Amino acid sequence: MKIAIISFFDSLRFDEYPITHSLGAMRLGAYLQQRHPEWEVRLRAFDERTWSAEQAGAALSAEDFDAVGVPAYIWTLQRSRELAAVLATADTAPLVVCGGPETRAMDHSDWPEQAVFVMGQGEEPLTWLCEQRAADPAFAGPALDPDLPQPIYSAARPRKGAFRYAVPDRGDRRLPHGLPLFGSDFDRMAQGDPVETDFAWYETARGCIYDCSFCGHNTLPFFATFDLDFVRTEIVNMRDRGIRRIFLIDPILGGKPARGKEVMRMFRDLAPEIAISAYMRPEFLDDEFVEVLVESNIHELLMGLQTTNPNVPKHVRGNHFEKIMKFVPHLAARGIPWRAELIVGLPGDDMAGLRESLRFTVEELRPWSVHAYHLTAIPETKLFELLDRTDEDVWIKADERLRVVSASSYDERELRDMLVYAGAVTSLHAHLRDSGVTRPDYDLLDREVGRILADPAERPRAAAAFIRMSQDLGREIWRRHAQAAVPAGRA
């Protein structure tokens, strides 16, 4: 049995993320190889910048794979579908398995009918599918039983029957363990497409013990972790391989406070040279955790405040402001670089609420950077259940990509203004930090944003950039804007 797990990468972003294989692909391959050492599992990656479905399909067909796994992220779906279509025309077509977040809502009507789609965590379903293919070389999507107890669907089996619903809890569950990443056994999977980098995506936990209603992490049917001994082995493997920077994608660092401290201590003691970016929740912080972070090699902590507006339902994000104010404003002063993240478009929010969220974040919390994101209604979340329920007090509407376009508290025009404003403020904050201003003043940010958006000559181009919420695009606008080019603010 020969299996290829596909990744797509952007070579123009190598300065930021210099790696070709995704963490998901590596975990899937490592699990398959551990469960079936007799199988030949290979990682294969393709550059978005030179992408050709025909060339990729020909390369995979030449290796005669029996099954090919492709990723379902919003930025990979088109290429994955194109590759599936090419592979379906091969003389001996492999089983194509598509997995990732988008399988919960994507339109799969234009995919080959032989394709199979997996929702949620993929290790066990993909293993089961490959075992079916190994037993029956003709096995494909049309053979799926409608009553199959797996989160799998196809043209023959409706997606509705494949859903699993999350039940967030604080219990300890064990993730499926494959081969430890970056060890000698792992190298066998990368033959022909080696992992050569000093950066890696990494994880120690999946799912979340909190139940914020907007969050896709809660679509997993559990919270679970890798054994700490397993994590320790992978930390040593990364150190010995020359990894010097990781992005730890646990929904919250370590999954639980005590475990987060232990994970950071292991990095501190075993691999202090590895710089870490990670997601953190203010409620995890206490004096001990702050000290552990100070002693660690932190590249950046990302903390989702989301909003300070009390009119946003508590099930969206219940912030513990007493703990936030006790610990968060002092992180930067202790040498811990951290980034605040807000969401634009939450039901109950409006322009006044967004402005206050930005003011509070910039003035009171004093992060190193501020980012804002357009709300997406993720299927299987409580927020998604508010979609189109306009006869109720709280509701949202979304476009075909499930980005929210209006809600019970704002209309489409106000949302557009909110997106433009948030994109403008956050990118100006970044621009001023780049210029050497350590604490940009919110009044300055608000004044300069108002000035550029009131200028008939500047507004069209500036608003078109800001609404995309890209700090790179926004920075470019501010660099060209003479009045914001001179750094100002509090030292």
Side-chain angles (χ1 to χ4, degrees):
M1 185 73 174
K2 293 185 64 176
I3 304 157
I5 310 295
I6 306 302
S7 299
F8 295 104
F9 65 93
D10 183 350
S11 57
L12 293 185
R13 298 190 70 184
F14 272 2
D15 286 345
E16 187 176 9
Y17 303 121
I19 191 168
T20 57
H21 299 291
S22 72
L23 176 61
M26 292 191 289
R27 285 289 189 211
L28 289 168
Y31 186 77
L32 288 171
Q33 198 67 84
Q34 189 271 337
R35 289 292 301 272
H36 289 278
E38 75 279 10
W39 289 355
E40 185 177 314
V41 181
R42 294 291 181 265
L43 303 177
R44 295 292 179 260
F46 298 97
D47 188 350
E48 297 175 4
R49 300 294 166 175
T50 58
W51 169 246
S52 165
E54 290 73 20
Q55 291 178 6
L60 294 170
S61 295
E63 293 194 73
D64 197 26
F65 288 110
D66 300 291
V68 175
V70 296
Y73 296 91
I74 195 166
W75 58 88
T76 68
L77 265 184
Q78 180 177 345
R79 283 178 288 276
S80 290
R81 181 184 57 78
E82 292 170 352
L83 180 57
V86 170
L87 292 173
T89 64
D91 292 337
T92 305
L95 172 67
V96 174
V97 181
C98 178
E102 296 302 310
T103 57
R104 298 185 184 95
M106 60 183 272
D107 178 6
H108 61 98
S109 61
D110 56 351
W111 283 64
E113 68 172 357
Q114 299 93 334
V116 178
F117 305 88
V118 174
M119 293 192 295
Q121 183 168 278
E123 282 91 342
E124 294 101 331
L126 179 59
T127 301
W128 182 86
L129 287 166
C130 290
E131 288 170 346
Q132 306 311 302
R133 182 73 172 199
D136 177 7
F139 176 82
L144 289 183
D145 187 326
D147 297 323
L148 179 70
Q150 293 271 7
I152 298 168
Y153 66 91
S154 69
R157 189 204 184 195
R159 176 162 48 206
K160 183 177 180 180
F163 276 113
R164 290 177 177 177
Y165 290 93
V167 184
D169 61 42
R170 292 176 178 265
D172 291 320
R173 306 193 189 190
R174 190 172 187 265
L175 285 167
H177 288 51
L179 297 174
L181 299 185
F182 303 112
S184 57
D185 291 335
F186 171 83
D187 285 336
R188 186 156 61 103
M189 294 192 306
Q191 288 179 8
D193 201 339
V195 179
E196 297 177 345
T197 180
D198 63 357
F199 169 81
W201 303 100
Y202 190 58
E203 64 177 347
T204 76
R206 296 179 196 163
C208 188
I209 60 174
Y210 293 93
D211 58 356
C212 304
S213 63
F214 69 91
C215 184
H217 288 297
N218 285 321
T219 61
L220 287 175
F222 46 72
F223 163 75
T225 61
F226 289 105
D227 298 342
L228 286 176
D229 285 344
F230 184 80
V231 172
R232 183 177 291 105
T233 297
E234 293 189 324
I235 290 174
V236 171
N237 287 348
M238 287 189 286
R239 179 199 66 196
D240 293 347
R241 182 173 286 266
I243 300 296
R244 293 298 176 262
R245 182 168 65 91
I246 67 165
F247 199 127
L248 184 60
I249 65 167
D250 297 357
I252 310 172
L253 200 165
K256 294 184 178 181
R259 190 173 183 278
K261 297 172 192 176
E262 183 61 28
V263 168
M264 292 308 300
R265 289 189 182 104
M266 285 195 291
F267 274 103
R268 180 197 64 189
D269 297 340
L270 297 171
E273 60 270 56
I274 297 180
I276 300 166
S277 297
Y279 296 105
M280 174 55 78
R281 184 167 171 132
E283 287 81 357
F284 272 37
L285 294 174
D286 57 20
D287 292 325
E288 181 186 14
F289 211 149
V290 171
E291 291 306 315
V292 171
L293 294 171
V294 169
E295 296 167 356
S296 300
N297 189 354
I298 301 296
H299 181 261
E300 185 177 50
L301 289 183
L302 294 79
M303 283 195 274
L305 182 67
Q306 319 313 353
T307 183
T308 65
N309 192 336
N311 295 321
V312 173
K314 292 296 184 184
H315 63 72
V316 173
R317 181 70 159 88
N319 288 306
H320 192 305
F321 283 101
E322 181 179 351
K323 180 159 276 195
I324 288 173
M325 292 309 298
K326 181 177 181 180
F327 294 106
V328 173
H330 312 294
L331 293 178
R334 297 294 307 276
I336 303 172
W338 75 279
R339 156 176 156 177
E341 298 188 333
L342 302 171
I343 294 179
V344 180
L346 292 168
D349 206 7
D350 53 19
M351 177 60 88
L354 173 65
R355 290 170 66 94
E356 173 55 21
S357 293
L358 285 163
R359 186 210 64 78
F360 176 83
T361 301
V362 171
E363 292 290 322
E364 306 295 335
L365 301 185
R366 303 189 290 275
W368 284 46
S369 64
V370 186
H371 291 246
Y373 302 94
H374 188 171
L375 176 64
T376 296
I378 300 174
E380 298 181 79
T381 61
K382 186 174 181 178
L383 185 82
F384 187 79
E385 296 175 3
L386 302 178
L387 199 60
D388 297 325
R389 293 192 173 182
T390 54
D391 56 338
E392 299 186 4
D393 292 338
V394 179
W395 53 266
I396 57 174
K397 284 183 171 290
D399 62 17
E400 67 281 356
R401 294 174 62 185
L402 297 181
R403 294 174 304 182
V404 171
V405 297
S406 63
S408 47
S409 57
Y410 59 81
D411 59 21
E412 292 189 27
R413 180 167 184 172
E414 185 172 5
L415 176 62
R416 177 181 173 83
D417 290 342
M418 292 161 67
L419 292 168
V420 170
Y421 183 76
V425 169
T426 55
S427 60
L428 178 56
H429 185 279
H431 169 72
L432 292 176
R433 288 297 302 259
D434 292 345
S435 303
V437 180
T438 57
R439 284 189 58 190
D441 184 280
Y442 176 74
D443 288 340
L444 167 69
L445 301 176
D446 184 60
R447 184 171 62 251
E448 293 299 329
V449 168
R451 186 173 295 165
I452 195 172
L453 294 179
D455 185 337
E458 293 266 27
R459 178 179 172 85
R461 182 178 64 183
F466 296 149
I467 199 170
R468 294 177 64 181
M469 316 291 277
S470 165
Q471 292 211 343
D472 287 341
L473 292 175
R475 279 183 169 112
E476 182 61 27
I477 292 295
W478 291 115
R479 279 193 289 266
R480 297 178 181 180
H481 186 60
Q483 290 176 308
V486 178
R490 293 197 300 263

